[in-house]
Amino acid sequence: MSAGKRILLIIAGGIAAYKALDVIRRGRERGLNFRVILTKGGAEFVTPLSVASLAGSKAYTELFSLTDEAEMGHIRLVREADLVLVAPATADIIAKMANGLADDLASTALLANDKPVLIAPSMNVVMWRHPAVQANVATLRARGVVTVGPGAGDLACGEVGDGRLAEPLDIVNAALRLLSPGPLTGLKALVTSGPTYEAIDPVRFIGNRSSGKQGHAIAAALAAAGAETILVTGPTALADPAGCIVHHIESAAEMLAKVQQSLPVDIAVAAAAVSDWRPVQEAGQKMKKREGGAPPRIELATNPDILATISAPGPKRPRLVIGFAAETEKVIEHATAKRQKKQCDWILANDVSSGTGTFGGADNKVHVITAQGAEEWPRLSKTELAERLVARIAENLKGTKS
Ligand code: CTP
């Protein structure tokens, strides 16, 4: 399906640039065509000749080159591509992309581009973790740029950590996924995931044991099926799922605000374990123990119900809203009542009583409650459950495109 698709590959100046040659080789083996731009730094690491030999077409390097512009202007380079891939994506080119700089052929082409963009970051671990780089990457992701890697391991600089360019085959596979439309291509999805933290004071909070595994798996499966997927997540130990636009929040109020900003969408899945309550007041300073004094009493206020807000009738209501119900007894009865109360279309009810291992565990067992009744699904890994749910979503929305 992706055979013959055209990739505009931008090779920036990092030591991993040599691996971009393997990306071209493996991509061509899978039927992809490449046009390549080398940045000035990129051309220090690999030569235009080696790129051209592997790509089967010349490597472009100059913005103000009469011959290059006559042959193939920088605008045509992006217009004729199906996907733009930046590999390796250095801290410098990521910063240029995030800030809209256009001072060479690569950055100008990226600014003139309206095609999907995949970046494969590669740099020293301290650079990668620098807040400036992380903020730039977050900006790009929020604009829909997809990242692949970096991986962890030995770095060329002798240090160890995150920052290694993803393996060439993984980069090619990520590109192929973006290029082949899935059953949800053209639809927009929103997922909430993880716990919320409700601040008591600057160091303490009310939270819960949600790991975010199920919500993140659903977001990944929606993105893999082609949906433009926004994930709004509370604090978790998980990596951002591939192909999603991810917003990190802490409190229920922040989650609700991001959710509302993200609407309208076609599909919404509320998998977050939102704290039902929050302290009425967050203390400005750390609360101190007082010698012989009574422990503090924390007054609580009720948090907004995010799922009920999404499900409420109105012009922005998604076509399909799916919630979860965490129950410890009378699972189907309580979940059925919850579906009606929150006005969502489906509820995935799970038993979270102690001993089931659902919270934080690798698998899940649910009953799917719809207007037609309850359906029992077998125990599945959270990834399998996510895939099955997404297949069901695609089936349900088939032929009902608005
Ligand atoms: N939910 C939400 N916002 C809230 C509370 C819950 O969006 N403030 C969503 C959850 O993401 C989940 C569903 O509502 O999809 C049900 O969550 P659950 O904790 O089972 O239900 P509660 O509404 O909290 O009800 P209770 O705790 O009384 O069972």
Side-chain angles (χ1 to χ4, degrees):
M1 214 179 340
S2 315
K5 290 275 169 79
R6 289 162 303 187
I7 295 198
L8 177 63
L9 170 64
I10 295 176
I11 304 179
I15 182 66
Y18 74 95
K19 289 197 195 168
L21 299 176
D22 209 25
V23 170
I24 300 172
R25 195 172 63 84
R26 290 180 175 270
R28 289 196 73 193
E29 280 166 10
R30 284 159 183 76
L32 297 172
N33 292 323
F34 286 85
R35 281 208 176 109
V36 183
I37 295 177
L38 275 171
T39 67
K40 203 159 174 279
E44 298 283 336
F45 289 94
V46 290
T47 68
L49 184 61
S50 43
V51 167
S53 319
L54 283 165
S57 68
K58 73 168 282 185
Y60 294 84
T61 51
E62 301 285 333
L63 179 57
F64 301 116
S65 147
L66 196 55
T67 41
D68 281 5
E69 282 292 311
E71 241 173 65
M72 168 72 60
H74 62 278
I75 304 286
R76 236 179 92 200
L77 276 172
V78 285
R79 291 296 169 275
E80 292 190 356
D82 297 299
L83 175 82
V84 178
L85 166 63
V86 187
T90 56
D92 180 62
I93 201 153
I94 288 172
K96 281 185 179 161
M97 290 171 77
N99 292 289
L101 298 191
D103 62 354
D104 62 3
L105 179 59
S107 53
T108 308
L110 282 161
L111 203 56
N113 172 52
D114 55 0
K115 301 293 166 53
V117 181
L118 174 66
I119 63 170
S122 164
M123 66 196 76
N124 164 271
V125 55
V126 181
M127 286 171 81
W128 172 248
R129 289 191 186 157
H130 195 286
V133 172
Q134 286 301 311
N136 286 335
V137 171
T139 300
L140 294 182
R141 283 184 178 143
R143 283 184 205 146
V145 169
V146 178
T147 53
V148 51
D154 292 337
L155 303 175
C157 52
E159 294 184 19
V160 178
D162 311 329
R164 269 170 79 96
L165 184 75
E167 289 309 315
L169 198 51
D170 290 341
I171 297 175
V172 170
N173 284 337
L176 289 171
R177 266 201 308 279
L178 282 174
L179 286 166
S180 34
L184 298 180
T185 297
L187 298 181
K188 227 175 139 177
L190 170 67
V191 180
T192 68
S193 184
T196 63
Y197 284 3
E198 310 295 332
I200 297 171
D201 68 13
V203 297
R204 303 180 178 92
F205 60 84
I206 298 174
N208 61 66
R209 294 185 199 281
S210 167
S211 65
K213 282 180 191 160
Q214 187 63 79
H216 279 54
I218 291 169
L222 286 163
E228 180 189 334
T229 305
I230 303 169
L231 172 66
V232 182
T233 177
T236 74
L238 304 173
D240 288 351
C244 300
I245 300 170
V246 185
H247 297 297
H248 295 269
I249 52 81
E250 290 215 333
S251 66
E254 289 163 359
M255 182 173 273
L256 178 63
K258 276 291 173 210
V259 160
Q260 284 176 319
Q261 272 171 29
S262 307
L263 297 174
V265 296
D266 300 283
I267 305 148
V269 183
V274 183
S275 171
D276 290 322
W277 306 285
R278 67 177 182 279
V280 170
Q281 263 198 326
E282 178 185 346
Q285 306 297 330
K286 184 183 169 199
M287 288 160 67
K288 304 297 277 183
K289 286 195 293 291
R290 266 168 302 148
E291 219 34 61
R297 299 179 75 88
I298 300 170
E299 199 189 332
L300 299 176
T302 301
N303 266 333
D305 191 313
I306 297 167
L307 175 59
T309 310
I310 300 172
S311 303
K316 288 191 178 176
R317 191 197 191 275
R319 279 191 282 153
L320 189 59
V321 184
I322 303 166
F324 274 78
E327 307 292 345
T328 55
E329 53 165 359
K330 298 187 188 151
V331 174
I332 294 177
E333 194 181 315
H334 284 168
T336 304
K338 214 171 256 181
R339 191 186 83 82
Q340 272 157 8
K341 194 171 107 211
K342 301 203 183 202
Q343 297 185 282
C344 57
D345 301 296
W346 304 347
I347 279 240
L348 273 59
N350 49 15
D351 184 347
V352 292
S353 47
S354 57
T356 59
T358 300
F359 257 45
D363 51 28
N364 206 349
K365 164 111 184 68
V366 298
H367 288 86
V368 180
I369 319 276
T370 68
Q372 279 71 48
E375 185 187 314
E376 186 174 356
W377 282 12
R379 178 164 285 280
L380 297 166
S381 75
K382 288 183 176 174
T383 307
E384 286 166 345
L385 190 143
E387 282 162 3
R388 185 165 170 158
L389 179 65
V390 168
R392 175 62 72 88
I393 291 171
E395 182 66 30
N396 185 268
L397 294 179
K398 205 164 60 188
T400 65
K401 284 206 171 161
S402 55

